[in-house]
């Protein structure tokens, strides 16, 4: 079986999708290709998300929000939207999930930690499923 590709999508590609991608890179290593994107990408990753992930020893500070493209969706085996109602192109044969999660935008670190932890828990389940 070839290496699976996972695409995390949220509107700004600055918080939830970046945290999820950071966890998947950490937990799966080079066994999974990781993409993240947004329909309206921000200029930078949310600094509070960066701080929350730094507490876990994961550096997402150098990541740059990317625009969602049809090509990224075509490349992915699994497309995970992050509870933001983002319109995502649909292609048969792909696995789609919507993870309903609060948006960390405008929140302080104490409010972002539970979002981060929920993302970590979901990514751990995803890794177990993908690499079983």
């Amino acid at each position: 079986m070839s290496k699976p590709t996972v695409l995390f999508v949220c509107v700004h590609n600055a918080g939830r999708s970046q945290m999820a991608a950071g966890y998947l890179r950490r937990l799966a290593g080079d066994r999974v290709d990781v993409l993240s994107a947004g329909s309206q990408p921000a200029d930078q990753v949310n600094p509070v998300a960066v701080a929350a992930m730094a507490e876990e020893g994961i550096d997402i500070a150098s990541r740059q929000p990317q625009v969602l493209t049809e090509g990224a969706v075509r490349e992915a085996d699994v497309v995970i939207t992050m509870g933001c109602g983002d319109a995502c192109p649909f292609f048969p044969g792909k696995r789609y999930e919507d993870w309903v999660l609060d948006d960390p935008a405008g929140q302080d670190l104490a409010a972002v930690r539970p979002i981060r932890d929920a993302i970590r828990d979901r990514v751990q389940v995803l890794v177990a499923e993908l690499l079983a």
Side-chain angles (χ1 to χ4, degrees):
M1 179 177 151
S2 65
K3 181 168 35 170
T5 299
V6 176
L7 170 63
F8 294 104
V9 180
C10 69
V11 174
H12 300 295
N13 190 221
R16 294 166 288 191
S17 56
Q18 292 286 352
M19 289 190 285
Y23 275 121
L24 186 54
R25 285 184 192 100
R26 165 66 61 85
L27 296 171
D30 63 359
R31 298 173 293 171
V32 175
D33 286 329
V34 183
L35 305 171
S36 69
S39 57
Q40 300 170 9
D43 293 332
Q44 66 180 19
V45 176
N46 180 333
V48 180
V50 170
M53 293 300 286
E55 290 180 345
E56 297 278 291
I58 299 172
D59 181 7
I60 61 170
S62 63
R63 296 291 169 179
Q64 182 63 39
Q66 302 294 313
V67 68
L68 176 63
T69 64
E70 188 175 297
V73 179
R74 284 189 189 279
E75 184 179 343
D77 300 297
V78 180
V79 179
I80 298 176
T81 57
M82 309 300 279
C84 50
D86 212 38
C88 191
F90 179 82
F91 295 101
K94 300 199 177 293
R95 174 177 163 185
Y96 289 87
E97 292 185 23
D98 183 44
W99 292 357
V100 179
L101 298 157
D102 290 335
D103 189 346
Q107 309 240 26
D108 65 15
L109 187 56
V112 172
R113 286 182 182 122
I115 299 167
R116 174 202 64 200
D117 295 347
I119 290 169
R120 180 190 57 229
D121 293 346
R122 290 175 189 224
V123 171
Q124 287 173 330
V125 170
L126 180 65
V127 168
E129 292 170 354
L130 291 175
L131 302 179

